[in-house]
Amino acid sequence: MKDTLTPAAAETLETILLRCVECSTSYPGIEAGWAPRYRCQCGGVLDVEIRLPAGASHLRQLFDQRAATPPTWPLNTDTMLPDHSGVWRYRELILPVPAQFIISRPEGNTNLYPAGIENCGAGRIGHRQIGHYAGLERLFLKHEGENPTGSFKDRGMTVGVTMASLLGAQAVACASTGNTSASLASYAAQAGMRAIVFLPAGNVSAGKLAQSLAYGATTIQVDGDFDAAMRLVERVCDELGIYLLNSLNPYRVEGQKSIGFEILQQLNWQAPDWLVLPAGNLGNTSAIGKAFRQAYQLSLISHMPRFASIQAAGANPFYRSFRQGFAKREQVQAHTVATAIKIGDPVSYTRARRVIEESNGLVEEVTDEEILAAKTIIDRSGLGCEPASASTLAGIRKLVEGGVIKRGELVVGILTGNLLKDSQTGIPQREESVAVAANVEAVRKVLQQ
Ligand SMILES: *Cc1c(COP(=O)(O)O)cnc(C)c1O
Ligand SMILES: [Zn+2]
């Protein structure tokens, strides 16, 4: 990394504080003898504090305007991508970077699908099946699999790689269950940086691995699980001066906040009763929780939704802690078919705990069977998602059955990744398709069966 910061980086970082989530010690966004800081001296994870703008009514206007502004000719290639990004549209609440420094695909702008029994529209019979399965009248599913590389990780990565670029980093690295590495590889390639990704050997789906390799990342398969890869990459980055972009990086969380802001904008700034999402490393629980907290502080909304974070039963350290009233931080050896949430020691535990507590939320667990059953419902509805994402619907169903979520409450669920991310797990395989001779008679026979 460069010894001196670009003026733009210095200016941006001067407006930022990094605060330890464990002991509240704060650090300047930019330090003398600059070196990137990812942890507090006490070992705690750091959270970005930006000065929130005073008054919020103009923000709503600004965000709505950016979403609706038609392009000008000639195109302004510095601002066209950021203004149309579902992350940078909210940059006053994310990271105040001048538009020309932003590295964006653009990302976000994902659809919010009505899928409840009452709210999904007369013709959308497939999606209504989801509502029946959930047992909810008013349900929306936010499909983050519609991001450029097929998962919500792009929302954090655009901010992380923009920061890396401001800092003059030549190389960036992460440990990943697959989606973070796919995203990092794509954004690093766009920024002309070297990407190095650490994957748990044998635990990453073929599609995600293919993305990292295709985008040109140096792809290292670690002999160990995700948690081992995570520990390794932190040491490698420290010793080799590579900019670290896994969920320890505080700026990625800021980017993922945009899921919350975008949901609110799509709901015309009405907060739902519940926000339900898969929980692995807990970055999303932390980020979306922070977004709603800030929206509430700015009076953009009148109440916080209750958060329900859903874990796979075989990868449930957060659930175990929750069941003890968060008396103890738990770790497990993770086992689940949902590889994106196969995490035994989540990095963002403390931030996520705060979200559950302050939103009067909860943590639930679902079995792999429940995840796969819910995935089949989502896939057959025409939406489709990767296995980890389906834990959202499995969790909603369980919570509705248990009487925790009421049938009439307004629920937003997050689908985190695209169906094509994992073409092996929980869907019919090639052998289940039908081979026929190329004539109508043969097809007629098949259809009559
Ligand atoms: C990363 C990821 C998750 C886990 O999200 P956390 O923020 O780490 O809890 C869930 N689903 C998909 C598809 C992911 O890529
Ligand atoms: Zn600390």
Side-chain angles (χ1 to χ4, degrees), residues 156-354:
M157 208 48 82
T158 181
V159 179
V161 169
T162 294
M163 186 52 83
S165 156
L166 284 175
L167 298 173
Q170 310 286 313
V172 287
C174 71
S176 170
T177 59
N179 281 336
T180 302
S181 53
S183 186
L184 178 79
S186 168
Y187 281 80
Q190 188 184 354
M193 289 172 201
R194 179 172 189 188
I196 305 147
V197 306
F198 293 75
L199 305 174
N203 274 300
V204 174
S205 75
K208 297 176 188 179
L209 184 59
Q211 282 182 293
S212 292
L213 292 166
Y215 292 132
T218 302
T219 303
I220 298 174
Q221 305 231 26
V222 178
D223 179 20
D225 60 9
F226 168 79
D227 301 287
M230 182 86 186
R231 289 188 293 270
L232 178 61
V233 72
E234 205 180 331
R235 294 219 315 272
V236 169
C237 284
D238 262 2
E239 290 184 23
L240 305 184
I242 298 165
Y243 191 61
L244 178 64
L245 271 173
N246 61 19
S247 21
L248 204 55
N249 184 294
Y251 299 104
R252 278 188 49 208
V253 169
E254 293 306 291
Q256 286 172 212
K257 285 187 333 195
S258 63
I259 301 172
F261 298 139
E262 205 171 270
I263 289 169
L264 286 176
Q265 190 166 31
Q266 286 169 316
L267 293 177
N268 196 24
W269 305 95
Q270 298 298 310
D273 297 311
W274 287 91
L275 198 294
V276 187
L277 75 173
N281 226 347
L282 304 178
N284 244 355
T285 301
S286 309
I288 303 176
K290 188 174 178 184
F292 280 102
R293 178 191 311 138
Q294 291 181 331
Y296 180 68
Q297 284 166 348
L298 288 163
S299 305
L300 285 166
I301 52 174
S302 58
H303 68 95
M304 281 279 284
R306 296 181 70 184
F307 273 71
S309 294
I310 313 298
Q311 295 215 287
N316 64 352
F318 195 46
Y319 174 75
R320 289 179 188 219
S321 294
F322 170 75
R323 290 302 299 262
Q324 316 160 34
F326 292 116
K328 182 162 168 280
R329 179 170 176 170
E330 294 281 346
Q331 295 173 10
V332 303
Q333 193 72 43
H335 298 283
T336 168
V337 292
T339 49
I341 51 173
K342 188 176 173 186
I343 291 170
D345 184 15
V347 165
S348 291
Y349 170 84
T350 304
R351 294 193 261 236
R353 171 187 167 175
R354 177 177 173 195

Side-chain angles (χ1 to χ4, degrees), residues 390-409:
S391 56
T392 292
L393 179 59
I396 291 173
R397 180 178 161 94
K398 189 169 176 183
L399 291 168
V400 172
E401 271 176 0
V404 180
I405 298 181
K406 303 290 182 295
R407 189 180 169 85
E409 287 186 302

Side-chain angles (χ1 to χ4, degrees), residues 15 49-60 62-63 66 89-96 254 257 261 294-300:
T15 66
E49 280 183 12
I50 56 170
R51 241 172 274 136
L52 288 182
S57 52
H58 76 283
L59 279 181
R60 234 183 98 163
L62 181 65
F63 299 156
R66 281 185 188 145
R89 176 181 307 138
Y90 313 102
R91 55 185 173 269
E92 287 75 9
L93 303 180
I94 296 207
L95 194 70
E254 293 306 291
K257 285 187 333 195
F261 298 139
Q294 291 181 331
Y296 180 68
Q297 284 166 348
L298 288 163
S299 305
L300 285 166

